[in-house]
């Protein structure tokens, strides 16, 4: 009796061990695997090695660029980076309901528009589609991704205006729309984020108009509006009360008098080069702990205040103004 039990046990152990090893360790969810194989099939590869690990005989949680949840084994990250694949983002990405992180990056031959099926990915925390050849608008359906904390659509060929509804996303830490072909104004709603206040990177577009006054109501940490066609006064974004740290407003057509602007103590980087700013740099600048400062190519006049970090920068931070003078520029007459 005892012997036959041992016999059955060892037989079943033998059977168990002789099963093909993938099915023993395969954590991959079959539904996710099916969708991933569909995604692979839609791309044309110029680099046969990129997807070589996407092999049906290997656990899909171990495929290159993927990550599964340890407990549920559902796919939570799909990150495709730097391969020479061409074609569109397949609509099938919307069939990976547990995705938290979706990235297509540095893929110069990835083109077409951003597929609307992405709106189904309600668990998405990071959406990064950047350094690609994507065109079309910044889709408004992104507003439905309420868990998003990073939206990065930089370095593409996106056109149209910035959807005002993005301000409804309450968990955003950063919005990167820089290096596209966006037009229109910065939405007034960007001064009305109700949760976290995201860093805004909108540089290298064709944005026009004034910066909405509403943005003065929020405490931003970093703003990069450089290389657009923005006009008007942006001094309301400063003020002693603010907590802003890094500002790049260079290469626009901003026009205001710098003389009476009060800068917050938090400011460490200020780039205002290539605008139409008048007045004299205020004495208050000497109190700040600047790591970077550039007011070159404006219409400033008078003496650069002496002290603080202001003389740590060379003439290239101050040159090409109307009649600015004093160290590091030539002495005032
Ligand atoms: C897995 O489940 C355990 C127990 O419920 C939990 O403590 C842990 O945070 C979970 N891990 C992940 C990655 O979700
Ligand atoms: C990438 O693919 C394109 C065709 O889509 C081809 O012209 C190009 O030479 C490829 N580049 C590399 C580095 O393989
Ligand atoms: C995408 O690129 C392919 C060639 O790689 C081209 O045939 C197609 O027209 C492009 N589509 C768009 C929307 O640019
Ligand atoms: C901005 O920060 C300052 C200083 O911490 C604080 O006094 C002010 O209430 C904040 N404003 C907003 C709108 O959160
Ligand atoms: C600081 O902010 C408060 C409330 O937002 C405002 O009443 C006050 O005038 C501000 N002070 C300065 C110096 O801007
Ligand atoms: C800038 O403001 C200062 C102080 O109010 C004033 O003396 C100066 O004339 C103004 N400069 C210009 C160009 O408006
Ligand atoms: C300031 O900006 C000007 C104009 O773009 C540039 O030539 C100069 O090198 C910059 N200065 C520094 C310190 O980066
Ligand atoms: C690498 C590549 O294909 N770049 C193209 C991307 O799309 C723009 C127009 O939208 C073309 O001008 C580029 O040549």
């Amino acid at each position: 009796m005892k012997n036959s039990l041992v016999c059955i046990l060892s037989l079943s152990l033998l059977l168990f061990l002789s099963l093909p090893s993938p099915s023993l360790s395969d954590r991959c969810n079959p539904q996710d695997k099916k969708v991933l194989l569909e995604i692979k099939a839609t791309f044309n590869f110029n680099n046969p090695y990129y997807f070589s690990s996407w092999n049906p005989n290997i656990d899909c949680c171990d495929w290159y660029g993927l990550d599964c949840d340890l407990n549920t084994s559902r796919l939570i990250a799909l990150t495709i980076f730097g391969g020479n694949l061409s074609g569109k983002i397949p609509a099938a990405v919307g069939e990976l309901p547990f995705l938290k992180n979706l990235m297509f990056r540095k893929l110069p031959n990835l083109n077409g528009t951003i597929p609307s099926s992405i709106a189904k990915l309600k668990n998405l925390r990071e959406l990064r589609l950047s350094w690609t050849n994507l065109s079309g608008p910044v889709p408004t359906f992104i507003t439905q991704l309420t868990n998003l904390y990073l939206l990065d659509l930089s370095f593409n060929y996106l056109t149209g205006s910035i959807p005002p509804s993005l301000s409804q996303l309450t968990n955003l830490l950063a919005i990167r729309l820089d290096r596209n072909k966006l037009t229109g104004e910065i939405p007034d709603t960007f001064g009305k984020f109700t949760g976290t206040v995201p860093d805004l990177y909108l540089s290298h577009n064709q944005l026009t108009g004034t910066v909405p006054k509403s943005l003065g109501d929020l405490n931003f940490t970093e703003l990069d509006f450089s290389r657009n066609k923005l006009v008007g006064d942006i001094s309301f974004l400063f003020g002693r009360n603010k907590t802003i740290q890094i500002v790049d407003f260079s290469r626009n057509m901003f026009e205001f008098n710098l003389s009476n602007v009060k800068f917050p103590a938090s400011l460490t980087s200020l780039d205002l080069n290539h605008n139409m700013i008048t007045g004299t740099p205020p004495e208050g600048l000497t109190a700040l702990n600047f790591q970077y400062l550039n007011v070159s190519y404006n219409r400033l006049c008078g003496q650069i205040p002496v002290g603080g970090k202001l003389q740590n920068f060379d003439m290239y931070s101050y040159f090409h103004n109307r009649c600015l003078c004093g160290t590091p520029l030539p002495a005032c007459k």
Side-chain angles (χ1 to χ4, degrees):
M1 189 66 194
K2 206 173 178 190
N3 268 350
S4 64
L5 189 65
V6 168
C7 189
I8 289 166
L9 274 177
S10 47
L11 238 173
S12 45
L13 185 69
L14 203 73
L15 251 171
F16 185 65
L17 286 175
S18 62
L19 287 171
S21 60
S23 49
L24 259 184
S25 60
D26 207 345
R27 297 165 294 153
C28 184
N29 176 278
Q31 186 54 35
D32 291 344
K33 183 173 187 171
K34 182 172 159 283
V35 173
L36 288 166
L37 287 171
E38 257 175 65
I39 290 172
K40 178 183 173 182
T42 63
F43 286 119
N44 303 314
F45 313 112
N46 296 303
N47 178 352
Y49 300 107
Y50 192 85
F51 283 96
S52 59
S53 69
W54 288 38
N55 174 338
N57 299 323
I58 300 174
D59 178 1
C60 80
C61 294
D62 293 332
W63 293 358
Y64 184 65
L66 306 184
D67 195 16
C68 292
D69 183 279
L70 289 176
N71 290 337
T72 65
S73 292
R74 296 306 299 251
L75 192 78
I76 53 169
L78 169 58
T79 60
I80 298 184
F81 175 87
N84 194 6
L85 50 83
S86 59
K88 299 187 293 182
I89 297 178
V93 296
E95 309 306 321
L96 298 166
F98 294 91
L99 270 193
K100 291 180 179 174
N101 180 353
L102 177 62
M103 173 172 101
F104 285 88
R105 193 169 155 78
K106 298 225 168 155
L107 303 161
N109 297 307
L110 184 75
N111 68 2
T113 57
I114 300 172
S116 58
S117 62
I118 287 179
K120 291 192 261 180
L121 302 175
K122 302 296 185 213
N123 290 302
L124 220 51
R125 303 226 184 333
E126 293 181 42
L127 176 60
R128 273 194 241 197
L129 311 173
S130 72
W131 298 84
T132 75
N133 212 19
L134 290 173
S135 55
V138 175
T140 50
F141 64 70
I142 288 174
T143 310
Q144 297 168 35
L145 305 174
T146 53
N147 290 307
L148 218 54
Y149 66 71
L150 174 63
L151 174 63
D152 181 358
L153 304 177
S154 62
F155 289 85
N156 294 303
Y157 291 85
L158 303 178
T159 51
S161 54
I162 300 173
S165 57
L166 290 181
S167 66
Q168 292 164 21
L169 293 170
T170 54
N171 296 305
L172 278 178
L173 301 178
I175 297 182
R176 300 205 68 126
L177 300 175
D178 46 305
R179 305 254 184 181
N180 279 289
K181 297 179 174 301
L182 302 174
T183 51
E185 303 194 0
I186 297 174
D188 186 53
T189 55
F190 275 26
K192 297 182 172 115
F193 286 96
T194 55
T196 56
V197 180
D199 295 336
L200 300 179
Y201 302 89
L202 308 178
S203 77
H204 290 82
N205 280 293
Q206 294 152 25
L207 301 174
T208 51
T210 56
V211 173
K213 281 282 186 295
S214 59
L215 270 68
D217 298 338
L218 294 181
N219 280 324
F220 288 98
T221 303
E222 182 160 359
L223 293 175
D224 184 356
F225 297 163
S226 64
R227 293 188 193 246
N228 279 288
K229 296 171 178 168
L230 299 165
V231 299
D233 185 353
I234 31 119
S235 58
F236 64 88
L237 291 169
F238 303 110
R240 287 206 203 292
N241 259 353
K242 297 292 201 306
T243 54
I244 197 153
Q245 294 171 20
I246 299 174
V247 168
D248 190 349
F249 293 154
S250 65
R251 294 183 191 258
N252 280 283
M253 294 175 284
F254 291 126
E255 199 170 359
F256 59 96
N257 186 335
L258 197 62
S259 302
N260 290 323
V261 178
K262 305 275 184 274
F263 290 95
S266 52
L267 193 64
T268 58
S269 179
L270 177 64
D271 196 345
L272 299 174
N273 87 72
H274 281 96
N275 281 289
M276 299 187 285
I277 302 167
T278 57
T280 308
E283 195 64 36
L285 290 176
T286 61
L288 300 185
N289 192 19
F290 281 119
Q291 280 153 31
Y292 187 82
L293 176 68
N294 199 334
V295 296
S296 67
Y297 289 90
N298 278 291
R299 297 179 181 174
L300 299 171
C301 227
Q303 175 151 18
I304 298 167
V306 177
K309 303 280 181 189
L310 297 191
Q311 277 66 42
N312 290 13
F313 301 98
D314 64 19
M315 61 171 283
Y316 299 106
S317 286
Y318 299 100
F319 73 153
H320 278 278
N321 273 288
R322 187 162 284 168
C323 45
L324 200 58
C325 56
T327 323
L329 293 177
C332 300
K333 297 203 177 76

